[in-house]
Amino acid sequence: MLLWDSVPKQRWKGNPLFSCRKKMRLLLFLTVCQYAISSVHTYSVSNPNVILLMADDLGIGDLGCYGNRTLRTPYIDRLAKEGVTLTQHIAASPLCTPSRAAFLTGRYPIRSGMAAFSRVGVFLFSASSGGLPSEEITFSKLLKQRGYATALIGKWHLGMNCESSNDFCHHPLSHGFDYFYGLTVTNLRDCKPGQGSVFLKGVQKYLVIPVQILGVTLVSLAVVHYVGLLKVPFQALGYCLLITAISLVVLIFFFYHFRHLNCFLMRDHQIIQQPLSYENLTQRLTTEAVQFIGRNTDTPFLLLLSYLHVHTALYASNMFRGKSKHGLYGDAVEEMDWSVGQILDVLEKYNLRSKTLVYFSSDQGAHTEEISSSGEVHGGYNGIYKGGKSTNWEGGIRVPGLLRWPGLIPAGTYMDEPTSNMDIFPTIVKLAGAQLPYDRIIDGHDLMPLLQGKVTRSKHEFLFHYCNAYLNAVRWHPGNSESVWKVFFFTPNFSPEDSNGCYDSHVCFCHGGFITRHDPPLLFDLSRDPEEKVPLTPKTESRFYEILKVIQLAVASHTRSLQAVPDQLSWDNLLWKPWLQPCCSSLFQSCYCDYESEDSLLEVHSG
């Protein structure tokens, strides 16, 4: 209804004092008012602020809103109470790097080269040359073009440099973010003294024994040459010894200085703390996020707050340490929940609550194999779901999915349709009034029609689950059925065999002797068996082969849509390259600096 229609016309109808000129003035005034009101409505609907809260390795069973009764997560639960809870929200990959690439681009990571054919599926070193290609279009790029202020605070894990230590080709600022405060790689046990090493088993298995064999071989050849039993070119023997010695020195130097070389905090392009200090780290990340919101109260903004919690190394500030019922892991979850509360409070403070879409999720499921050297459980809880991080069992990919936007998304509702973290891309791009890229396939779908009840079925009839670059499983939700079929072409070999993970290798791998292939594929109906306990057979499911045929046709169509792209996670792109090493001082000074603490001290003294 127009404002003009609401004017009580009986007050002026027939009144000679109400001249034509006055009528025109009133009409103009009401038109202006109507425009102003519609402009506010358009701002809130078409250009909302967007806050994306991304946890790391959080289990769906770790939150109160998903059934946990012992961990205290009141602020995250508040998001669920005031918004929509997605109960079948799926990460595009069960590993950090590919999942985050898919989240930012709305595309399966295989399309951008961010899915590995090698055993290692994530970036481990700051001086690797791989990363999210510059040709990829992120939601941050598109929102920035629409006038949004954009910031990433926390973990990136999608590469940094290509050819030099400061070309920043893969850096967040090269992918549409105006501001960055955080880590370019990830949080690892090796980053925190006393927390052990994620490389220890691998070094022992793949380096120590080969080096010992090589050493014994070279010494034996030298002895044989010396006693005259076999003539070995002395120069060749010397070169072999020299190369071996240099290689050992480089390896020892790298792993001894791993924390300094790979665990550092950046602000934009500058390293401000090397190595990273965990003291009040979540508070610092939260303060940065709150200040960013405060700087942009009059401008549409995109904030991606990417927590380090609850990836190991676990940490918590004194305010939370020892307060939960689940050790250091529980302390970390509850500290993250506090941070979410701070973000919600600042939206209230600046009256931005109704103008802001808030999303909370995790990049993949909990890392069930995470156990400290003292035997304390450092991994989360995936509820009733099987497996965890690095697997495509539901525990590895079914993650929390909470969305709140007061007045636009109904509060306290649950959505059991299949959705993906790739859906955030088209959802916020459309809300910002930007155009989706037309020169590439976008695998995500706009969530708003589903969230607002305009449709009742997800557009994801099929979802393809990759283990690195290998198609591992497929999910099919037929339009005329409540069933959600899921097939596995191979499954990881758990170790020990009767466990719920790959404890012997710390993570599950995707090929060779680490998997078991299935022909015919394993088939489950998640609507009846969400725990994936009992595979269906032709005897227990009459449509067994019919279902497999439909899925195989979908796989063929999906495979045809893939194009060859450079492998960003090849061994060449993964390995440490000294010339790419970021360093705030010099390698000879162990790459040490702490401008963060110095700035904090200056603020204290100036105050």
Side-chain angles (χ1 to χ4, degrees):
M1 180 177 70
L2 295 175
L3 288 179
W4 178 258
D5 298 328
S6 65
V7 175
K9 299 177 181 60
Q10 66 273 15
R11 293 187 179 179
W12 54 266
K13 187 175 182 181
N15 189 338
L17 296 177
F18 203 93
S19 65
C20 182
R21 181 177 296 178
K22 289 181 179 179
K23 290 180 185 179
M24 291 302 296
R25 286 176 182 171
L26 178 61
L27 179 60
L28 179 61
F29 171 74
L30 293 175
T31 302
V32 170
C33 290
Q34 180 75 38
Y35 175 77
I37 292 172
S38 65
S39 295
V40 172
H41 182 69
T42 301
Y43 172 83
S44 63
V45 173
S46 299
N47 295 284
N49 304 312
V50 178
I51 295 180
L52 309 173
L53 306 170
M54 181 63 71
D56 196 350
D57 290 3
L58 181 73
I60 194 171
D62 287 328
L63 303 176
C65 52
Y66 283 95
N68 194 295
R69 295 293 173 263
T70 52
L71 279 173
R72 295 167 296 187
T73 56
Y75 297 108
I76 297 173
D77 297 345
R78 176 178 152 195
L79 278 177
K81 185 179 180 181
E82 297 176 354
V84 172
T85 301
L86 304 175
T87 59
Q88 201 177 160
H89 194 48
I90 308 301
S93 171
L95 286 175
C96 303
T97 294
S99 177
R100 290 164 184 268
F103 174 63
L104 279 160
T105 63
R107 289 152 52 82
Y108 288 110
I110 190 74
R111 298 193 191 280
S112 58
M114 297 294 281
F117 289 92
S118 61
R119 183 177 299 178
V120 180
V122 300
F123 295 114
L124 296 172
F125 312 130
S126 63
S128 297
S129 58
L132 188 63
S134 58
E135 299 81 19
E136 286 300 312
I137 298 174
T138 61
F139 53 62
S140 46
K141 281 183 181 178
L142 294 176
L143 267 64
K144 183 176 180 178
Q145 291 171 6
R146 291 288 298 166
Y148 274 66
T150 57
L152 167 62
I153 294 169
K155 170 177 169 174
W156 173 238
H157 211 182
L158 295 173
M160 185 169 173
N161 295 313
C162 290
E163 297 178 356
S164 70
S165 61
N166 59 359
D167 63 33
F168 303 116
C169 65
H170 301 308
H171 190 277
L173 298 193
S174 299
H175 282 288
F177 290 101
D178 298 320
Y179 182 70
F180 172 62
Y181 176 91
L183 280 69
T184 56
V185 192
T186 187
N187 175 30
L188 291 170
R189 286 188 177 277
D190 302 71
C191 294
K192 191 178 182 190
Q195 293 295 305
S197 172
V198 298
F199 300 104
L200 189 59
K201 284 185 178 179
V203 168
Q204 289 174 339
K205 185 173 182 179
Y206 298 107
L207 285 178
V208 174
I209 294 176
V211 166
Q212 289 175 341
I213 293 171
L214 180 62
V216 170
T217 301
L218 289 173
V219 170
S220 300
L221 285 173
V223 170
V224 169
H225 175 81
Y226 181 76
V227 299
L229 293 176
L230 181 67
K231 292 296 181 182
V232 180
F234 185 78
Q235 193 173 15
L237 192 62
Y239 280 136
C240 287
L241 285 169
L242 180 63
I243 292 170
T244 302
I246 292 173
S247 300
L248 282 173
V249 168
V250 170
L251 283 171
I252 291 169
F253 172 85
F254 177 76
F255 284 109
Y256 182 78
H257 292 282
F258 181 91
R259 178 168 166 254
H260 289 75
L261 297 177
N262 296 283
C263 311
F264 51 79
L265 188 67
M266 295 188 80
R267 178 176 279 112
D268 293 335
H269 288 145
Q270 182 187 8
I271 297 175
I272 58 174
Q273 192 173 62
Q274 191 173 13
L276 170 74
S277 168
Y278 286 88
E279 185 177 0
N280 295 323
L281 181 55
T282 301
Q283 282 76 3
R284 285 183 277 156
L285 296 173
T286 305
T287 297
E288 289 284 337
V290 167
Q291 289 176 348
F292 173 78
I293 295 171
R295 292 195 299 268
N296 293 284
T297 55
D298 297 323
T299 305
F301 64 80
L302 164 70
L303 169 63
L304 172 51
L305 178 50
S306 179
Y307 291 103
L308 276 63
H309 286 321
V310 280
H311 197 293
T312 52
L314 293 179
Y315 68 95
S317 63
N318 291 334
M319 185 166 58
F320 294 93
R321 197 173 182 92
K323 302 295 174 63
S324 79
K325 296 180 180 179
H326 290 280
L328 188 53
Y329 183 89
D331 300 341
V333 172
E334 293 186 359
E335 182 171 59
M336 178 173 60
D337 181 75
W338 164 84
S339 174
V340 171
Q342 296 298 298
I343 301 302
L344 299 183
D345 286 348
V346 79
L347 293 179
E348 298 281 357
K349 175 183 176 181
Y350 293 117
N351 197 29
L352 296 174
R353 184 173 179 270
S354 62
K355 298 176 183 178
T356 306
L357 172 67
V358 181
Y359 167 76
F360 179 90
S361 189
S362 178
D363 55 358
Q364 65 265 325
H367 194 172
T368 57
E369 297 94 342
E370 276 289 5
I371 299 175
S372 72
S373 54
S374 62
E376 182 180 358
V377 175
H378 278 190
Y381 177 52
N382 292 316
I384 65 171
Y385 303 110
K386 186 175 182 177
K389 177 179 179 176
S390 80
T391 81
N392 281 304
W393 294 111
E394 289 296 283
I397 55 176
R398 193 181 288 224
V399 293
L402 305 172
L403 293 108
R404 188 194 79 169
W405 190 4
L408 276 299
I409 294 177
T413 56
Y414 291 81
M415 186 68 61
D416 195 36
E417 286 290 294
T419 59
S420 169
N421 64 350
M422 296 184 291
D423 295 336
I424 298 304
F425 178 96
T427 301
I428 64 175
V429 166
K430 287 187 177 182
L431 287 173
Q435 292 293 318
L436 289 175
Y438 58 85
D439 62 341
R440 64 199 63 205
I441 293 174
I442 301 297
D443 297 298
H445 296 292
D446 182 7
L447 285 173
M448 289 305 293
L450 194 63
L451 297 174
Q452 294 182 318
K454 295 177 181 178
V455 299
T456 58
R457 304 287 294 195
S458 166
K459 286 188 177 181
H460 287 292
E461 183 179 2
F462 297 97
L463 280 169
F464 302 93
H465 306 304
Y466 281 84
C467 185
N468 287 355
Y470 306 98
L471 185 58
N472 182 189
V474 179
R475 186 188 226 91
W476 177 34
H477 184 38
N480 59 352
S481 170
E482 295 302 313
S483 292
V484 179
W485 306 105
K486 185 177 178 185
V487 300
F488 279 92
F489 303 113
F490 63 86
T491 51
N493 297 329
F494 285 170
S495 55
E497 198 170 314
D498 58 347
S499 68
N500 190 38
C502 302
Y503 290 86
D504 292 346
S505 54
H506 190 63
V507 292
C508 296
F509 296 114
C510 305
H511 61 279
F514 297 101
I515 64 171
T516 297
R517 298 191 179 277
H518 303 285
D519 187 15
L522 297 185
L523 174 65
F524 299 91
D525 182 358
L526 298 178
S527 67
R528 292 179 288 168
D529 182 18
E531 299 171 65
E532 298 169 297
K533 280 186 173 181
V534 184
L536 299 170
T537 67
K539 291 183 178 180
T540 58
E541 175 52 60
S542 60
R543 295 167 295 168
F544 184 87
Y545 289 108
E546 178 187 337
I547 293 164
L548 291 186
K549 184 177 180 180
V550 172
I551 290 175
Q552 286 163 353
L553 289 172
V555 168
S557 176
H558 168 71
T559 304
R560 285 194 299 271
S561 76
L562 302 177
Q563 296 179 348
V565 292
D567 181 3
Q568 297 296 326
L569 288 154
S570 65
W571 283 113
D572 177 56
N573 281 325
L574 283 172
L575 291 176
W576 179 61
K577 297 176 180 176
W579 59 92
L580 298 183
Q581 181 61 55
C583 195
C584 63
S585 54
S586 73
L587 286 173
F588 300 104
Q589 294 175 299
S590 297
C591 292
Y592 177 83
C593 66
D594 193 359
Y595 304 121
E596 178 85 342
S597 297
E598 290 174 11
D599 290 345
S600 298
L601 285 173
L602 285 172
E603 288 177 11
V604 170
H605 290 306
S606 63

